[in-house]
Amino acid sequence: MPKLIFLGTSNAIPDEQHENTHTVVVGEQRIVLIDCVNSPILRIKKVGVDFNRLSDLIVTHFHPDHVSGVPQMLMNMWLMGRIQPLNIYGLDYTLDRIEELMGLYSWSEWPDFFPVVFIRLPAQDMISVLECEEFHILASPVQHFIPTIGLRIEFLKSKKVLAYSCDTEPCPQVLRLADGANVLIHEASGLLPGHSSASQAGKAAAQAEVGALYLIHYPTGEFSTGDLLSEAKMMFEGPVKLAEDFESISFD
Ligand SMILES: [Zn+2]
């Protein structure tokens, strides 16, 4: 049952086929959204996931292409009569700004608003984010312009492991998160400060000895550049895929 669904795969500039990068991990008991852009309800419904069963939101960092959907999602949940709490996980830097953002919308005055529980993660390597019967999620700070976390998700029944670099330059923390993982989802924005190229993503996959590499957060539409798959394959011998919106990976 546990699976990850790509809800968006583009870098900060989306196109018709690629929304900004965000994903959802769907388990039997918990549904964990990783970043939240635009109107997430539309895509969550489109992939057949019950919006009201969303239990947790992990916010990797406070850039608009990763958090723009938070106010809209919280308002939608409230208007749809949500009662159960929503857990939101992130670094202090991230959660402080989400609180400020929601403060601008006077959310404390929204009547009968459901509980939002902020779970503040210390900026340390391999911090435990969330542990349940189905999976254990860990985080480490990675190298981006602002405080940012990458993730490692260990699926307990199948013993499979998924790692996600998030937005980052090549750094040892990603290699530790991805160490021996079955799947590494790695950003491929390009050879830019605070980001990685497809070639660097391939190198990380080889160094961490992962089973398969998915490239995400890549330039799309008129900004597409080069042959990202070939670039990554020059560095990594295993399977490489370009993640596409609505595609899913199963971790049975
Ligand atoms: Zn980004």
Side-chain angles (χ1 to χ4, degrees):
M1 167 65 183
K3 61 184 174 182
L4 173 130
I5 308 174
F6 295 104
L7 297 174
T9 55
S10 172
N11 68 0
I13 308 170
D15 73 0
E16 295 258 329
Q17 283 77 40
H18 305 84
E19 180 56 280
N20 292 148
T21 292
H22 62 311
T23 61
V24 65
V25 175
V26 183
E28 298 272 356
Q29 289 156 17
R30 297 182 92 116
I31 300 177
V32 184
L33 186 63
I34 301 173
D35 291 335
C36 183
V37 306
N38 289 331
S39 280
I41 186 172
L42 297 175
R43 285 175 174 241
I44 289 170
K45 278 188 167 175
K46 182 162 175 166
V47 297
V49 172
D50 183 351
F51 184 65
N52 283 311
R53 281 195 52 230
L54 208 88
S55 52
D56 306 272
L57 165 65
I58 298 173
V59 185
T60 62
H61 64 297
F62 196 80
H63 272 160
D65 59 320
H66 298 259
V67 301
S68 66
V70 172
Q72 176 76 343
M73 184 176 82
L74 294 178
M75 191 173 73
N76 288 168
M77 286 173 163
W78 170 55
L79 294 175
M80 290 164 73
R82 184 180 176 113
I83 297 167
Q84 74 266 36
L86 177 77
N87 301 316
I88 305 186
Y89 309 77
L91 298 169
D92 283 336
Y93 181 98
T94 310
L95 297 187
D96 287 349
R97 281 158 181 76
I98 287 178
E99 272 193 293
E100 284 174 37
L101 178 64
M102 292 308 297
L104 293 174
Y105 290 108
S106 304
W107 71 329
S108 59
E109 291 161 30
W110 296 0
D112 301 320
F113 188 60
F114 61 93
V116 170
V117 183
F118 283 122
I119 295 159
R120 293 172 173 274
L121 306 173
Q124 292 166 12
D125 265 11
M126 296 300 234
I127 282 296
S128 179
V129 178
L130 188 171
E131 194 161 12
C132 63
E133 280 174 28
E134 290 169 281
F135 40 75
H136 185 197
I137 305 183
L138 302 116
S140 293
V142 292
Q143 294 291 319
H144 194 43
F145 301 106
I146 57 169
T148 300
I149 49 172
L151 301 171
R152 177 183 176 93
I153 307 179
E154 301 176 347
F155 295 91
L156 303 180
K157 280 188 194 126
S158 64
K159 307 275 185 218
K160 289 185 179 165
V161 175
L162 161 69
Y164 170 42
S165 68
C166 195
D167 291 19
T168 186
E169 293 178 9
C171 66
Q173 290 87 340
V174 168
L175 302 184
R176 282 197 288 277
L177 287 167
D179 186 28
N182 299 80
V183 174
L184 169 61
I185 299 171
H186 201 294
E187 75 124 304
S189 307
L191 201 55
L192 305 161
H195 288 286
S196 301
S197 64
S199 163
Q200 289 171 324
K203 189 173 176 189
Q207 287 176 318
E209 298 183 343
V210 304
L213 172 66
Y214 281 75
L215 300 176
I216 200 168
H217 202 280
Y218 51 84
T220 57
E222 61 187 290
F223 301 102
S224 303
T225 48
D227 182 348
L228 300 182
L229 287 180
S230 300
E231 275 183 49
K233 283 177 180 171
M234 295 278 281
M235 307 301 287
F236 176 61
E237 288 181 351
V240 183
K241 290 188 77 174
L242 211 51
E244 295 290 349
D245 293 26
F246 307 121
E247 189 180 356
S248 70
I249 312 174
S250 151
F251 292 92
D252 291 338

